[in-house]
């Protein structure tokens, strides 16, 4: 799958051409990684070290060894002066794929249209907005998975990632947080101090796990340098070179080259004075390397400068145009430069400097005027050959400084090509276009349109504050006849303020716009009113916004604006559902659905957020199928229209529905995708909301006490900070839920009361019965029966007022807890049976299974063991089929006892419960508490509790004594 001869040219492409010396310990680690591909090997290797320390050389050796073992190798490199070419190192790596693997051809085509590579040539046409960057991340991961499974394993080696473009950094972050399954390893090489903070954070997060192997390269030992790189030099002289080079191989080789050049000069002239020689050598690496350029002729120097400036476009036709040399003259120059080992052949017919450090030195020592000339020549040649706009743009922005219609058009096209998959690059090209566009009154409207487009790109790329500042400029300079641009800027600015958690500023901006003179048009009032209404319940209480929603609805109906009407109805449905006014919310939801379902997708581009709010309203109301249908439709429209910032709202709505309906595997996938997007957007409040929902999914999907669930909830609370709104209360609620399932009822109680206050009045009514159930469990754990009884009464009253089945079932489970505590097993069994039936009728499979599993032991205690066993089997089947690890753990705790048979077992053994005996037997097998917890789907704390009881009943004090006792019995 790799190119013929790829193993032989690896060092030439990416290495430094010198023999690999030292690094035996590092090579042993890398050999282990290759040997264990797909069998517990790290999914990522992080090579770090200073410039010239040998990262590229070690990576070349790794790739060579992997190829020799039949592993497919893709190798790419980020470059210093191409940081606005999106996905540059990945495109370089995919260029290693000459042939399309049959099983991955479709994926390769889809990925290559954006990333480039030889599997499918990149198209100069704009990438369709449906190819949002987060979908692209998943496509790349899927492609790597297929390549790994069909090619004997896969190594993706990316060099110099400290220079990676923002789109590549985001893709790397995704691959670090979601390791590619199967025999695939990602290897990155970088300089620590130059690595962007975002990548450092991503790698550091995983550094303590088995998924990441970090190898920091230290200076080479003196013996390695002396014997491996300078065996022909006197030992003392080589040792002095090593000391001056501080063990850095690049520095050592530069010193060695300078020493030999000096020795050659001395051999053809008079002897050097005593005491000179080594002491006269340059002391700085930069000076040493630049000294290599001194013997070059002017034409060779000009050619070398062109190669350094052109980077990936350093191919013969472009170099020739930039230098004005004939074919023969250029060949002579390149041959001379190659003989001096300054340039080497690269992939695709490119010419490359032998090391990135040399490229930097040559580039920076080239005069600014000369660099402009080279970029101008490259832009002209690429235009002549019809290269994609993005490739032309990097040279145009560095060479065109005055109005040029063609250059301006290319920059705008480059922005369009990168808008959906690399918004940071899109914003960069738009900034370059704005610099060219004359700042005149005639061009004012066009300038503001570009600024608005750039603000959108910055917003979805994580530059929220810069986006807001740009939007303020658009708003303040828009003319009276530019109402469309002004209103779009105001609405987008308010949305940006929301993402920044600045709700008062968002509301003030919108209210000011509604009251300005001349008044906004009716259609603009609808747009502004919808955005203003969206501040509830995040900051303003929905009752404070009812009047605004009603006015917006009336304005839309007066205009005959079906889209505006549907949007207002969806906002009203969400707000009323949140407030617990079920009948009113149901009526609004039905009206909104009736309008939205009848409108084509193209009409709904501006209504993705209302679609999401309608979906959430329907989820609150227990209309799960409708909720999922509307969220799914909103997702499709948002992806196609590039409204990335709305995807988390829609994804989490689907995830919430799938928790309720017990489809936890897909719920986890949806929450993970929402997290990727939230981190990319850079809104701490949005991220907190996403992490809170992710914690809810993790709690339901994982075994009791899962540390990842608690970690997600803790991060959600930290990200939210001091805010006190719906999203903040959600974060605290999930922290309480995670703490309770982890066996910490005191922390659970504190978190839940922090979320809603002593009476939970700060929480949405539809959630209060469910959260009261958690409080009751926590109270009974701590022996606070009075509080549990009070919470149960409130839960019953609120559930009856709501009239929603899931909430009523929750109140019944709460009452059942108290009944069991009071010894009324028959009453508890009746309550839990009714709760299970209510949930079954509403489609809330997760809560049905929970009710059944809680009912099983209560039924047995009430004398209906057979019925309890049937309920347990049904609950266990639902939990297992839905991937609900929490309920599977509950099933293990409530498993019906096996019928007792006559036994001659010793009394102490007969005194153990079935679960305690299981724990004792696993201790005898040598399992740790964590191992037992994993085997039995329990939390480690629960295992500790069982084990302490076993020790007490068996009258032993150690695990060894217990194992011996079990063996004798």
């Amino acid at each position: 799958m790799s190119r013929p001869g790829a193993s032989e040219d690896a060092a030439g492409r990416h290495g430094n051409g010198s023999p690999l010396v030292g690094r035996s310990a590092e090579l042993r680690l890398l050999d282990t990684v290759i040997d264990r591909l797909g069998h517990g090997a790290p999914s990522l290797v992080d090579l770090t070290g200073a410039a010239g320390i040998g990262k590229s050389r070690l990576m070349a050796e790794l790739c060579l060894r992997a190829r020799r073992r039949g592993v497919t190798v893709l190798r790419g490199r980020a470059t210093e002066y191409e940081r606005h070419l999106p996905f540059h190192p990945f495109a370089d790596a995919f260029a290693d794929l000459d042939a399309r693997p049959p099983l991955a051809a479709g994926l390769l085509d889809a990925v290559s249209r954006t990333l480039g590579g030889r599997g499918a040539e990149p198209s100069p046409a704009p990438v369709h907005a449906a190819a949002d960057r987060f979908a692209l991340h998943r496509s790349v991961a899927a492609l790597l998975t297929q390549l790994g499974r069909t090619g004997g394993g896969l190594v993706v080696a990316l060099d110099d990632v400290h220079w990676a473009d923002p789109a590549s950094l985001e893709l790397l972050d995704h691959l670090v947080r979601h390791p590619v399954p199967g025999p695939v390893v990602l290897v990155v090489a970088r300089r620590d101090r130059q690595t962007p903070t975002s990548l450092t954070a991503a790698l550091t997060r995983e550094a303590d796990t088995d998924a990441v192997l970090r190898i920091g390269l230290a200076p080479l030992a003196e013996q390695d340098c002396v014997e491996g790189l300078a065996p022909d030099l006197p030992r003392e002289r080589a040792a002095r070179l090593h000391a001056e080079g501080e063990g850095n191989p690049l520095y050592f080789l530069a010193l060695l080259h300078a020493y030999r050049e000096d020795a050659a000069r001395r051999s053809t002239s008079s002897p050097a004075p005593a005491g000179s020689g080594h002491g006269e050598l340059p002391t700085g690496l930069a000076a040493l390397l630049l000294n290599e350029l001194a013997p070059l002729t002017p034409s060779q120097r000009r050619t070398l400068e062109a190669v350094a400036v052109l980077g990936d476009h350093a191919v013969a036709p472009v170099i020739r145009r930039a230098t004005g040399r004939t074919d023969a003259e250029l060949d002579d120059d390149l041959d001379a430069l190659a003989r001096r080992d300054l340039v080497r052949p690269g992939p695709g017919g490119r010419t490359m400097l032998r090391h990135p450090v040399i490229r930097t030195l040559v580039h920076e020592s080239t005069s600014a005027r000369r660099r402009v000339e080279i970029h101008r020549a490259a832009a002209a040649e690429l235009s002549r050959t019809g290269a994609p706009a993005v490739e032309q743009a990097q040279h145009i922005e560095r060479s065109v400084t005055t109005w040029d219609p063609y250059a301006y058009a290319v920059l705008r096209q480059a922005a369009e090509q990168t808008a959906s998959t690399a918004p940071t690059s899109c914003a960069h090209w738009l900034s370059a276009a704005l610099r060219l566009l004359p700042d005149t009154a005639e061009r004012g409207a066009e300038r503001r349109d570009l600024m608005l487009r750039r603000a959108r790109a910055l917003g979805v790329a994580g530059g929220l504050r810069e986006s807001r500042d740009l939007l303020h400029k658009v708003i303040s300079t828009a003319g009276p006849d530019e109402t469309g641009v002004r209103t779009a800027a105001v609405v987008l600015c308010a949305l940006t303020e929301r993402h920044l958690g600045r709700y008062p500023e968002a509301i003030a901006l919108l209210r000011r716009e509604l009251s300005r003179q001349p008044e906004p048009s009716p259609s603009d009032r609808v747009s502004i009113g919808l955005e203003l209404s969206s501040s509830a319940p995040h900051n303003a209480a929905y009752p404070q916004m009812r009047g605004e929603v009603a006015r917006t609805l009336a304005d839309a109906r007066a205009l005959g604006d079906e889209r505006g009407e549907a949007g207002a109805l969806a906002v009203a449905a969400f707000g009323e559902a949140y407030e617990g006014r079920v009948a009113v919310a149901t009526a609004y939801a039905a009206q909104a659905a009736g309008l939205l379902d009848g409108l084509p997708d193209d009409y709904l581009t501006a209504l993705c957020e209302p679609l999401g709010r309608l979906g959430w309203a329907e989820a609150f109301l227990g209309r799960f199928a409708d909720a999922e249908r509307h969220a799914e439709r909103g997702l499709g429209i948002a992806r196609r229209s590039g409204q990335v910032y709305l995807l988390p709202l829609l994804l989490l709505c689907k995830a919430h529905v799938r928790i309720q309906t017990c489809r936890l595997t897909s719920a986890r996938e949806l929450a993970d995708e929402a997290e990727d997007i939230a981190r990319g957007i850079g809104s701490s409040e949005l991220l907190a909301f996403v992490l809170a929902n992710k914690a809810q999914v993790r709690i339901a999907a994982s075994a009791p006490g899962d540390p990842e669930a608690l970690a997600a909830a803790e991060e959600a609370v930290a990200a939210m900070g001091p805010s006190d709104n719906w999203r903040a209360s959600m974060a605290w609620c999930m922290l309480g839920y995670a703490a309770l399932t982890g066996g910490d009822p005191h922390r659970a109680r504190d978190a839940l009361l922090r979320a809603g206050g002593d009476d939970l009045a700060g929480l949405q009514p539809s959630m209060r019965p469910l959260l009261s159930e958690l409080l009751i469990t926590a109270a009974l754990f701590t022996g606070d029966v009075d509080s549990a009884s009070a919470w149960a009464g409130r839960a019953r009253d609120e559930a009856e007022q709501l009239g929603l089945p899931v909430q009523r079932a929750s109140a019944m489970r709460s009452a059942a807890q108290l009944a069991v505590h009071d010894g009324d097993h028959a009453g508890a069994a009746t309550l839990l049976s009714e709760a299970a039936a209510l949930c079954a009728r509403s489609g809330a499979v997760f809560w049905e299974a929970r009710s059944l599993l809680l009912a099983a032991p209560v039924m047995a205690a009430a004398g209906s063991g057979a019925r309890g066993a049937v309920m347990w089997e049904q609950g266990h089947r639902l939990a297992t089929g839905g991937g609900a690890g929490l309920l599977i753990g509950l099933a293990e705790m409530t498993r019906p006892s096996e019928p007792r048979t006559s036994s001659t077992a010793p009394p102490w053994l007969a005194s153990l419960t079935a679960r305690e005996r299981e724990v004792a037997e696993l201790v005898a097998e040598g399992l740790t508490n964590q191992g037992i917890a994993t085997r039995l789907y329990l939390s480690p704390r629960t295992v500790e509790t069982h084990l302490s009881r076993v020790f007490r009943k068996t009258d032993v004090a150690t695990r060894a004594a217990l194992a011996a006792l079990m063996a004798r019995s």
Side-chain angles (χ1 to χ4, degrees):
M1 195 166 297
S2 51
R3 300 189 319 281
S7 58
E8 288 75 22
D9 74 0
R13 281 186 59 193
H14 301 288
N16 61 13
S18 60
L20 179 65
V21 299
R23 310 301 185 201
S24 56
E26 290 87 349
L27 284 172
R28 283 195 297 272
L29 285 172
L30 295 176
D31 280 337
T32 301
V33 170
I34 299 171
D35 290 340
R36 295 175 57 197
L37 269 182
H39 302 284
S43 59
L44 187 139
V45 177
D46 182 21
L47 299 176
T48 66
I53 202 68
K55 301 182 297 297
S56 298
R57 187 64 188 85
L58 186 61
M59 181 176 275
E61 184 67 21
L62 165 67
C63 293
L64 181 61
R65 294 180 181 216
R67 285 191 179 100
R68 285 174 177 166
R69 300 184 202 189
V71 176
T72 300
V73 175
L74 304 180
R75 189 156 186 214
R77 164 171 261 152
T79 48
E80 184 175 7
Y81 301 104
E82 288 77 26
R83 298 194 204 186
H84 294 292
L85 289 179
F87 306 107
H88 183 266
F90 287 94
D92 191 26
F94 285 160
D96 281 351
L97 284 173
D98 274 337
R100 299 184 215 175
L103 295 179
L107 273 171
L108 183 57
D109 280 344
V111 167
S112 295
R113 279 194 294 273
T114 301
L115 303 194
R118 298 183 185 178
E121 291 300 321
S123 168
V127 177
H128 197 279
D132 71 79
R133 65 196 203 266
F134 304 105
L136 178 67
H137 298 168
R138 296 191 300 279
S139 294
V140 170
L143 172 61
L144 298 181
T145 300
Q146 288 202 17
L147 292 174
R149 289 172 177 169
T150 59
L154 175 68
V155 170
V156 181
L158 303 177
D159 208 350
D160 290 331
V161 296
H162 50 276
W163 284 326
D165 58 276
S168 292
L169 290 175
E170 202 170 55
L171 175 52
L172 274 171
D173 181 76
H174 175 87
L175 295 174
V176 170
R177 286 187 294 108
H178 306 291
V180 178
V184 178
V185 64
L186 180 65
V187 185
V188 298
R190 61 189 179 90
R191 303 176 193 170
D192 265 320
R193 284 182 288 183
Q194 291 177 254
T195 302
T197 304
S198 59
L199 179 58
T200 300
L203 294 170
T204 302
R205 273 199 310 268
E206 306 297 330
D208 294 334
T209 72
D210 293 334
V212 173
L213 170 64
R214 174 168 290 176
I215 300 177
L217 297 189
L220 284 175
E222 177 184 305
Q223 182 176 355
D224 290 330
C225 268
V226 170
E227 297 179 0
L229 298 177
D232 56 324
L233 242 63
R235 176 75 185 221
E236 181 182 353
R237 177 72 67 181
R240 290 170 66 187
L241 294 182
H242 172 269
E244 186 160 339
E246 299 178 347
N248 184 299
L250 178 64
Y251 202 169
F252 181 87
L253 290 169
L255 287 164
L256 182 62
H257 173 83
Y259 171 80
R260 285 173 171 158
E261 287 280 311
D262 183 61
R265 284 194 299 272
R266 287 199 309 263
S267 67
T268 58
S269 60
S270 57
S276 61
H278 176 72
E280 295 174 352
L281 290 176
T283 57
L285 177 58
L288 281 169
L289 295 174
L290 285 173
N291 201 42
E292 292 188 43
L293 312 184
L296 300 182
T297 66
S299 66
Q300 291 167 356
R301 177 67 185 243
R302 285 173 62 84
T303 298
L304 190 68
E305 290 172 346
V307 172
V309 172
L310 291 171
D312 281 356
H313 293 135
V315 292
V318 185
I319 300 173
R320 186 168 55 248
R321 183 150 186 170
T323 57
R325 307 287 282 166
T326 66
D327 286 345
E329 291 169 337
L330 181 60
D331 287 344
D332 289 342
D333 286 346
L334 291 175
D335 286 345
L337 294 171
R339 284 194 298 273
R340 290 187 170 276
D341 197 24
L342 289 169
V343 301
R344 294 173 180 174
R350 299 201 308 256
T351 299
M352 303 171 61
L353 277 296
R354 83 165 183 260
H355 196 283
V357 169
I358 298 178
R359 184 188 178 194
T360 300
L361 292 171
V362 175
H363 187 283
E364 297 307 311
S365 64
T366 302
S367 69
R369 180 185 58 79
R370 175 66 183 135
R371 290 201 298 264
V372 169
E373 290 174 357
I374 295 169
H375 284 301
R376 184 179 296 120
E381 181 63 22
L382 292 171
S383 174
R384 186 188 67 81
T385 58
V390 171
E391 296 190 23
Q392 297 183 51
Q394 63 167 322
H395 298 291
I396 284 174
E397 70 153 329
R398 293 169 178 168
S399 61
V400 180
T401 57
T402 58
W403 173 241
D404 182 326
Y406 176 79
Y408 174 71
V410 170
L411 291 170
R412 289 197 60 164
Q413 188 181 5
E416 291 173 6
Q417 289 182 7
T418 54
S420 60
T421 54
T424 302
S425 294
C426 172
H428 176 79
W429 302 131
L430 287 171
S431 178
L434 281 164
R435 286 197 298 271
L436 289 187
L437 186 65
D439 192 2
T440 62
E442 295 79 9
R443 297 277 189 175
E446 186 176 2
R447 172 171 288 277
R448 281 182 283 277
D449 178 66
L450 282 187
M451 291 165 67
L452 182 59
R453 292 171 184 266
R454 184 166 185 264
R456 286 197 185 100
L458 288 168
V460 298
L464 293 172
R465 288 174 175 79
E466 189 178 355
S467 173
R468 179 192 61 200
D469 294 344
L470 196 56
L471 289 166
H472 282 171
K473 188 177 294 186
V474 174
I475 295 166
S476 64
T477 59
D481 56 339
E482 296 179 67
T483 56
V485 168
R486 180 186 176 90
T487 299
V490 166
V491 170
L492 183 57
C493 188
L495 175 65
T496 304
E497 297 283 22
R498 277 202 280 140
H499 279 313
L500 289 168
R502 294 161 52 94
Y503 288 99
E505 289 81 357
I507 293 172
L509 174 67
L510 294 164
R511 291 202 184 283
R512 177 176 177 271
E513 191 65 16
L514 286 172
S515 62
R516 72 178 175 86
Q517 296 296 326
E519 290 185 359
S521 67
S523 61
D524 287 345
R525 283 190 63 86
V526 171
S527 298
I528 296 167
L530 285 175
E531 176 59 31
L532 182 57
S533 305
S534 296
S535 61
H538 306 296
N539 186 63
Y542 181 75
Q544 298 174 15
M545 287 293 170
R546 277 199 184 100
E548 189 59 52
V549 175
R551 281 189 293 275
T552 302
L553 182 57
D555 285 342
R557 284 173 170 166
L559 286 171
D561 179 0
E562 289 183 304
R563 286 176 291 188
E565 181 182 359
L569 288 168
V571 170
F574 176 78
E576 300 295 1
Y578 180 89
E579 292 298 322
R581 288 162 44 104
V582 173
V584 179
T586 300
Y588 276 133
Q591 293 177 64
L595 275 174
L596 289 167
D597 291 347
L599 293 172
D601 283 0
D602 291 345
Y603 276 54
L604 301 182
T605 300
L607 292 182
C608 290
E609 186 165 12
L611 268 169
R613 286 175 176 262
L614 175 60
W616 275 103
E618 289 166 331
F620 292 158
L621 296 170
R623 303 164 65 96
F624 301 127
D626 290 337
E628 186 164 7
R629 177 168 57 85
H630 287 127
E632 183 62 39
R633 191 179 184 197
L635 278 170
I637 298 169
R639 291 190 197 281
R640 288 193 295 274
S641 57
Q643 299 180 78
V644 176
Y645 50 89
L646 295 177
L647 294 178
L649 174 75
L650 296 154
L651 289 164
L652 294 178
C653 179
K654 282 185 65 176
H656 179 77
V657 169
R658 293 189 178 185
I659 295 173
Q660 310 306 308
T661 54
C662 206
R663 291 174 287 165
L664 274 304
T665 300
S666 60
R668 288 180 71 151
E669 293 170 355
L670 292 163
D672 285 343
E673 183 182 354
E675 181 187 1
D676 290 343
I677 297 169
R679 291 189 186 278
I681 290 174
S683 166
S684 58
E685 178 158 306
L686 177 62
L687 178 61
F689 180 63
V690 168
L691 290 171
N693 280 272
K694 176 184 175 181
Q696 184 182 16
V697 174
R698 290 281 187 186
I699 292 167
S702 307
D706 175 53
E708 289 189 19
L710 184 60
E714 289 174 333
E715 188 180 355
V717 168
M720 184 56 68
S723 297
D724 188 16
N725 56 29
W726 174 42
R727 290 176 170 176
S729 67
M730 178 77 173
W732 282 102
C733 286
M734 290 307 111
L735 179 59
Y737 193 4
L740 185 61
T741 60
D744 191 344
H746 295 285
R747 188 182 188 190
R749 178 186 180 279
D750 291 345
L752 291 166
L753 295 182
R754 167 64 177 79
D758 290 342
D759 57 358
L760 297 189
L763 299 178
Q764 64 188 96
S766 63
M767 292 294 292
R768 288 177 199 160
L770 293 164
L771 296 169
S772 294
E773 184 180 351
L774 299 180
L775 276 170
I776 291 161
T777 303
L780 291 175
F781 261 124
T782 59
D784 188 357
V785 181
D786 291 341
S787 292
S789 180
W791 287 119
R794 290 182 186 177
R796 180 191 63 242
D797 294 343
E798 295 204 9
E800 289 304 317
Q801 184 175 351
L802 290 167
L804 296 171
V806 171
Q807 285 73 6
R808 290 178 60 206
S810 176
M812 289 176 178
R813 287 194 300 272
S814 295
Q817 289 190 71
L818 286 169
V820 169
H821 180 272
D822 293 337
D824 182 8
H825 293 96
T830 300
L831 287 166
L832 290 170
S833 297
E834 291 178 5
L838 268 176
C839 294
R841 288 196 294 272
S842 69
V845 179
F846 180 88
W847 299 112
E848 177 191 0
R850 178 174 176 79
S851 301
L852 289 167
L853 292 169
L854 290 172
V858 178
M859 283 287 179
S864 300
R867 186 180 175 198
V870 170
M871 296 177 84
W872 186 91
E873 289 290 346
Q874 184 180 358
H876 184 262
R877 176 176 54 79
L878 294 175
T880 304
L886 180 68
L887 299 185
I888 294 171
L890 176 61
E892 291 301 317
M893 288 188 280
T894 60
R895 181 188 293 274
S897 301
E898 296 293 332
R900 293 183 178 273
T901 58
S902 58
S903 171
T904 58
W908 63 263
L909 187 58
S911 71
L912 299 182
T913 67
R915 174 62 78 207
E916 289 165 356
R917 183 164 181 169
E918 280 184 304
V919 170
E921 288 169 348
L922 293 175
V923 167
E925 290 181 23
L927 270 69
T928 64
N929 283 7
Q930 182 61 59
I932 297 170
T934 302
R935 178 80 65 86
L936 299 181
Y937 295 97
L938 301 175
S939 71
R941 182 170 297 188
T942 301
V943 172
E944 290 176 11
T945 301
H946 286 307
L947 191 56
S948 65
R949 292 171 180 163
V950 170
F951 284 154
R952 185 174 66 252
K953 291 179 180 180
T954 57
D955 197 27
V956 298
T958 66
R959 301 172 79 92
L962 177 61
L965 194 62
M966 293 297 293
R968 288 197 301 273
S969 64

